Amino acid sequence: MPQKLKNTLLATIVLLLTIGSTFAAPQSNSLNIDLASLRDSGFKLDWVTNTATKDLRLGTIQGDSFYAIDQEDFLNRFDLTSGRWIWSAPVGNKVFDIHSISEVEHQNAVYVLSDSVIYVVQQTTGNRPTQDKETGHTPPYQMKLNRLATSPAIYTDNSLVYGSSNGDTVWFSPDIGYTEYRYKTGDVIYVNPTMVHGEIDEEGRRKTAIISASSDGHVVAVDNSSVRKLWEAKLLNSVEAPITSMKVKDAEGNAKTLVLIAGTDQYLRAIDLETGYPTWKVLTQAPLVDSPAPLGNAVYQRIPNQGLAKFKANTQSIAGEQVWLKPEITGNLITTNRKGHLIVWDDNTRQLQVIDPLLGGTISTIDLPQFKSLVTDSNENGTLYAITDEQFIVCLSPRR
C-alpha cells in the first residue's frame, strides 16, 4: 500500500476514534482539520455533533450548555461536555433580530432577547414556564419591551441589562416583566453593556458599574445599585466593540481597575474606574472595531490592516506603551493554551494562530476553512467551540 494512502487511512481512523459516538459521519464532507497541527497547537478534537439544522448562529456558552439559534428561530441546547443535543424550543418569529441568550439556572429559565420581546423557556426541558407551586403564578412565555432592544443583554442581580434604540441603558426585571430602571446614555446603543467590579474600599464596599457606549461616542458608567452616574466620557466617534476591564497595580503597588475602550476614533483608552480619568490612551493607525483583550499585565488589540498589537497595561506613560505590533497576526486574542501561548482567531481567513506572547512570534497557524464562528469558555487555557458551514458543532479542548 502506498505510504500516502496509509497516512490518509491512519488520519481517518484517528479522527473517528477521537470523535467517538457523538459524531455522525457526513456523506461527502470533511472537517478539514489537520490533527497533527492541532495537537502541536495544544488542542485535541474532543467531540463533533451533527445538528441536522440549518444556519446555526449566536453560539453561546452558558453554564454547562452550548446554545444556538437555527434558521427557524428555534433555540437549541447542547451538553457542553459531550455535545449531546438536549432540546429545541421555538423562540422568535423570523422577523425580529435575536440579540442574546441568557441562562439563569436557579430560576430554571433561559431568556432570549429579541428586538421587542423577551422569550422565556425552562432551562431543563425547553418547555414554556409552568405554574409556581408556592405562589400559583405562571411566568409569561413572552415579555414585551417598552424600549426596543438594539444590543445583547447581560444578566446581573435579577435584571437583564441591554441597550435600546433611543439611547437608554435598560434594566429589565424578568421576575415582574417590566423595566425597573433606565439611564440615558446617548444615541442608539449597539454593543452590550459591560459590568465592571471595582476595588474594595476601607469600609468593605465594592463599586459595581454598568458601562454603556452609544453610537455618538458617549461612554457612561452607572452605579448598578443606585443607577446614578459615576462618570461619563465623550469620545470623538462611536464605540463598536464591547468594553472590557482588568485589574492592575500602580507604581506604589495599589490595585486599581482599568476600563478598556477601543473606539472608531482610533484611540485605545484605559480609564480609571474610580475617577473616570484616562490612565493612558494610544492613537492607533485605524478605527478600532474589536474589543481590547486584557491578559496578565498586557492589553492586546487588533488594529485593522495593521495587525495585532500588545500594550503594557500599567504603564506610567499617558501616551501608552506599545510592546509590539505584528502585521502577520490578523485575528483577535481569544484565549491561551496550557503553555501560555496566545490563541488568536481570524474570522475572515478562518485561521487559528498560536503566538509567543513575549516577542509576538508566530509558533503555528492552523487553517479551519469550515469554521464560521468560534467561541471559548475562558480567556486562559480555554476550550474552543465552533459552528461549521455544514452545521456541525465542534469542541477543541486543551491537551493536558
Side-chain angles (χ1 to χ4, degrees), residues 291-311:
S291 294
L295 183 67
N297 187 36
V299 178
Y300 296 88
Q301 177 67 52
R302 190 186 81 86
I303 304 174
N305 302 317
Q306 300 295 317
L308 185 71
K310 177 181 179 179
F311 299 94

Side-chain angles (χ1 to χ4, degrees), residues 81-103:
T81 303
S82 66
R84 178 179 59 88
W85 174 85
I86 301 175
W87 51 253
S88 181
V91 297
N93 56 10
K94 296 193 289 186
V95 176
F96 295 132
D97 287 335
I98 293 178
H99 299 290
S100 61
I101 302 163
S102 302
E103 177 190 281

